[in-house]
Amino acid sequence: MNNLDESLLANIPPFRKLQLGQIREILDCATPKRFEVGTSVFEEGLDADRFYLLLDGHIRVIRTTPDGEQVTALYISSGQLFGIAAALGRSQYPATALTADECLTLSWPTRLWQDFVTKYDGFATESYKVVGARVDEMNNRIVEMATQQVEQRVACALLRLVNQAGKKVSHGVEIDFPITRQNISEMTGTTLHTVSRLLSAWEKSGIVASERRKIVVTNPHQLVLLSGT
Amino acid sequence: MNNLDESLLANIPPFRKLQLGQIREILDCATPKRFEVGTSVFEEGLDADRFYLLLDGHIRVIRTTPDGEQVTALYISSGQLFGIAAALGRSQYPATALTADECLTLSWPTRLWQDFVTKYDGFATESYKVVGARVDEMNNRIVEMATQQVEQRVACALLRLVNQAGKKVSHGVEIDFPITRQNISEMTGTTLHTVSRLLSAWEKSGIVASERRKIVVTNPHQLVLLSGT
DNA sequence: CGCCGTCTTGACTCGCCTCAACCTCGGTGG
DNA sequence: CCACCGAGGTTGAGGCGAGTCAAGACGGCG
C-alpha cells in the first residue's frame, strides 16, 4: 500500500467529482514511477497493459515510419491521462511515449479501466473529453498540413506548445521543457534546417528568442499573424 | 411510430449484442431520412443536436479553412455511426458531413446518447471502437503528410478508399461512389492538377482505369508498392 | 582536450504548385 | 435539333518553396 496524497488527484478533471474515499481507492492501486528525460514510458505496438496519468513533466508522443523517420503526434502536459488505448478498444499502444523532461507518472493496469468507468461518476465523461480535445488537435493539424506553408505550420506548432506548456518569463512565454529544432521539425513535417532558418529570421524580427534546446516566444501576437489562422 | 425493420440494425456492431425488443425501442425513436447527393447532413460549428447512423450511401466529412479551401477529414461508409460529437463531450459538430452519393440515415437526438450508452450492453464499447479506428486513420494520415511525397499520399488515399468503399468489378475494384480528382486532392493536400497527372500516369501503367467521376483500381498490388508502406 | 549533439548558413536542386489553354461530356433552353 | 454552358479533366510551361548537400561554429560533458 502506497501513501500518495489525495490532493494529487483532486484537481484532475476525470477525478474531480469523486469523494476522498474513492480517490483513496484509486491511489491505492496506482503505481507511481519516475522517468528520466529521454526515456520511453511505453512503445508503439506493445500490449497496452497499463494506462497512465502524468503528474509532472512533459511527454512527446511519436510514431516511427518504416524507414526510421519520427513524427510527433502530440505533446502531453502534466495532469493529463495518456496511454488510454483501452478507452478506444485497442489492445496495443498506437504510438510511443517519450519523456521530454523528467516525468512523474501514476499508472494502473488496463483491466481497471472498465471499473473506473463504471464505478466513478464523471470519470468516463471527462476522459472522453480529453480524447475529444486530442481528436480536435489532430484534425487541425491535418488541415494545416494540407493547406499551409511550412512557415505557417511551424508558427502554429509553436503557438500550440506555448498554450499547452507555456511558462511566463520576463520577456515573454517560454516553452517549459527542452525542445530542439529537430523536435519542431518532427511536429510539422519539415526539416531541422528549415526550422532553424525560420527561428533565425523570427529572432531577427523580435518574435522569439531561442537558445539551444530552449525557445521563448516574445511576441505571440505577431506569431498568430504568421500562423495565418 | 415508424415501421422500420429490425434487421436494419441487427448487424451493425454497436447494436449487435442487443435483443430484438431493445432494437425495436431504438428504432422507434429513430428518424429516418434520405439525402440527395451533394447535400449536407450537418455542418461544422452547428449545435450537435443529433447523431446519425448511415444505412446506405457514402459521406464525405470535410473542414473548410478560413480562406475557403476544403480538406476532407474522412469518408464514412454505410453501417457506421457518425456525427457522434456527444461521445467525445463536444456540443458542436467539428466538421461538415456532405453526401457523396444518395444517402439513407437514421438519427437520434443527442440527449439519447447517454441512455444508449448506459442502457444497451456493448453499445459504448463498439462505438468507441469506431472512434478508435478513426483516430488511427487520422494518425496515419498525419504521418503520411509529414513524411511522404504526393505520389505516395495519393496512392495511400486510393487504397484507403478501396478498402472502405471498394466494389469488385470485372477488371479490379471500383470506388463505389462518384469521386473527382478535386475530391482526391482535398484528401491528400495537393491540387487536382497533380492528381490528374498521377492518375494519367497510372492509367498508362495499367494500375487504374478511370472515367469522369469514377475510378477502378486494376492493380492494387502495384499501388501498394507505390504507397511506400 | 576531444567528442558529440545542437544549431547555423550557403548553394544547389527539384517536386509540385501556379498559370494557362484547351478538350470532353451532359444537360438545358431556344 | 443544335448551340451553348458549366463541371470535370488533361497537359504544357515556368517558377518558387523547401528539401538536400555540405561545411563549420558553438557549447556541454566525460
Side-chain angles (χ1 to χ4, degrees):
Chain A
M1 167 142 171
N2 55 54
N3 53 353
L4 300 160
D5 194 282
E6 283 91 346
S7 66
L8 281 176
L9 298 189
N11 285 310
I12 310 283
F15 305 107
R16 196 169 282 156
K17 291 189 181 165
L18 306 185
Q19 290 147 0
L20 273 187
Q22 299 181 300
I23 291 187
R24 190 69 259 159
E25 281 172 29
I26 290 175
L27 283 172
D28 284 346
C29 54
T31 307
K33 186 163 175 193
R34 196 182 132 277
F35 291 86
E36 293 289 343
V37 49
T39 56
S40 85
V41 178
F42 54 77
E43 305 218 2
E44 183 173 350
L46 295 188
D47 279 349
D49 51 348
R50 306 189 72 83
F51 63 94
Y52 295 81
L53 173 67
L54 184 58
L55 288 177
D56 193 36
H58 299 270
I59 296 230
R60 198 192 321 283
V61 179
I62 66 168
R63 301 192 112 198
T64 307
T65 64
D67 46 286
E69 266 186 294
Q70 296 189 346
V71 177
T72 301
L74 49 84
Y75 277 86
I76 312 266
S77 329
S78 45
Q80 292 190 21
L81 289 172
F82 68 104
I84 50 179
L88 300 178
R90 348 206 93 247
S91 51
Q92 283 97 33
Y93 296 114
T96 297
L98 288 184
T99 55
D101 48 11
E102 189 176 325
C103 286
L104 232 56
T105 64
L106 293 183
S107 72
W108 298 265
T110 292
R111 65 180 156 73
L112 292 186
W113 180 266
Q114 265 312 317
D115 294 0
F116 281 26
V117 163
T118 50
K119 217 155 120 191
Y120 301 121
D121 182 41
F123 179 81
T125 310
E126 292 299 325
S127 296
Y128 284 117
K129 272 192 194 165
V130 334
V131 175
R134 288 185 197 159
V135 167
D136 211 43
E137 181 177 331
M138 288 169 59
N139 256 317
N140 287 332
R141 288 191 55 200
I142 289 178
V143 172
E144 273 170 33
M145 308 246 296
T147 61
Q148 305 197 300
Q149 311 256 97
V150 167
E151 180 169 35
Q152 303 177 298
R153 300 208 303 267
V154 174
C156 288
L158 266 193
L159 288 171
R160 252 198 297 275
L161 286 172
V162 160
N163 284 329
Q164 292 173 3
K167 186 179 63 173
K168 287 214 168 49
V169 292
S170 55
H171 304 304
V173 190
E174 179 180 342
I175 294 169
D176 198 20
F177 55 86
I179 185 163
T180 67
R181 325 280 142 152
Q182 172 86 28
N183 292 332
I184 295 179
S185 75
E186 284 164 0
M187 302 174 64
T188 50
T190 178
T191 61
L192 75 156
H193 308 278
T194 300
V195 172
S196 176
R197 282 184 241 269
L198 285 172
L199 287 181
S200 295
W202 292 347
E203 184 125 25
K204 281 204 185 75
S205 346
I207 299 174
V208 304
S210 73
E211 298 164 32
R212 118 184 304 235
R213 296 168 147 272
K214 178 178 152 184
I215 297 178
V216 182
V217 175
T218 49
N219 190 342
H221 179 63
Q222 198 62 34
L223 204 55
V224 170
L225 293 183
L226 279 176
S227 78
T229 33
Chain B
M1 169 140 171
N2 55 55
N3 52 354
L4 300 160
D5 194 281
E6 282 91 345
S7 66
L8 282 176
L9 298 189
N11 285 311
I12 310 282
F15 305 106
R16 196 169 284 156
K17 291 188 180 166
L18 306 185
Q19 291 147 0
L20 273 187
Q22 298 182 301
I23 291 186
R24 189 70 260 159
E25 281 173 26
I26 290 175
L27 284 172
D28 284 346
C29 54
T31 306
K33 185 161 175 195
R34 196 182 132 277
F35 290 87
E36 293 289 344
V37 49
T39 55
S40 85
V41 179
F42 54 77
E43 306 219 1
E44 183 174 351
L46 295 189
D47 279 349
D49 51 348
R50 305 189 74 82
F51 64 95
Y52 296 82
L53 172 66
L54 184 58
L55 286 178
D56 193 37
H58 299 270
I59 295 226
R60 200 193 319 283
V61 180
I62 65 167
R63 299 192 115 198
T64 307
T65 63
D67 46 284
E69 268 185 292
Q70 295 189 347
V71 178
T72 300
L74 49 84
Y75 277 86
I76 313 267
S77 329
S78 46
Q80 293 189 22
L81 289 172
F82 67 105
I84 50 179
L88 300 178
R90 348 206 93 251
S91 50
Q92 283 97 33
Y93 296 115
T96 296
L98 288 184
T99 54
D101 48 11
E102 188 175 326
C103 287
L104 232 57
T105 64
L106 292 183
S107 72
W108 298 266
T110 292
R111 68 183 154 71
L112 291 185
W113 180 266
Q114 265 312 316
D115 295 2
F116 281 25
V117 163
T118 51
K119 215 155 122 191
Y120 301 122
D121 182 41
F123 179 81
T125 311
E126 292 300 326
S127 297
Y128 283 117
K129 272 191 193 166
V130 334
V131 175
R134 288 187 198 158
V135 167
D136 213 43
E137 181 177 332
M138 287 168 59
N139 256 317
N140 287 332
R141 288 191 56 201
I142 288 178
V143 172
E144 273 171 33
M145 307 245 298
T147 62
Q148 305 196 300
Q149 310 257 101
V150 167
E151 180 169 37
Q152 303 176 297
R153 299 208 304 268
V154 174
C156 288
L158 267 193
L159 288 171
R160 251 198 298 274
L161 286 172
V162 160
N163 284 328
Q164 293 172 3
K167 186 180 61 173
K168 289 215 166 51
V169 292
S170 56
H171 305 302
V173 190
E174 179 180 344
I175 294 170
D176 197 21
F177 55 87
I179 184 163
T180 66
R181 326 278 141 153
Q182 172 86 28
N183 292 332
I184 295 180
S185 76
E186 283 164 0
M187 303 175 63
T188 50
T190 178
T191 61
L192 75 156
H193 307 278
T194 300
V195 173
S196 176
R197 283 183 239 268
L198 285 171
L199 287 181
S200 295
W202 292 347
E203 184 126 26
K204 282 204 185 75
S205 343
I207 300 174
V208 303
S210 73
E211 298 165 31
R212 124 185 299 237
R213 296 167 147 273
K214 178 178 154 185
I215 298 178
V216 182
V217 176
T218 50
N219 189 343
H221 180 63
Q222 198 62 33
L223 204 56
V224 171
L225 292 183
L226 280 176
S227 78
T229 35

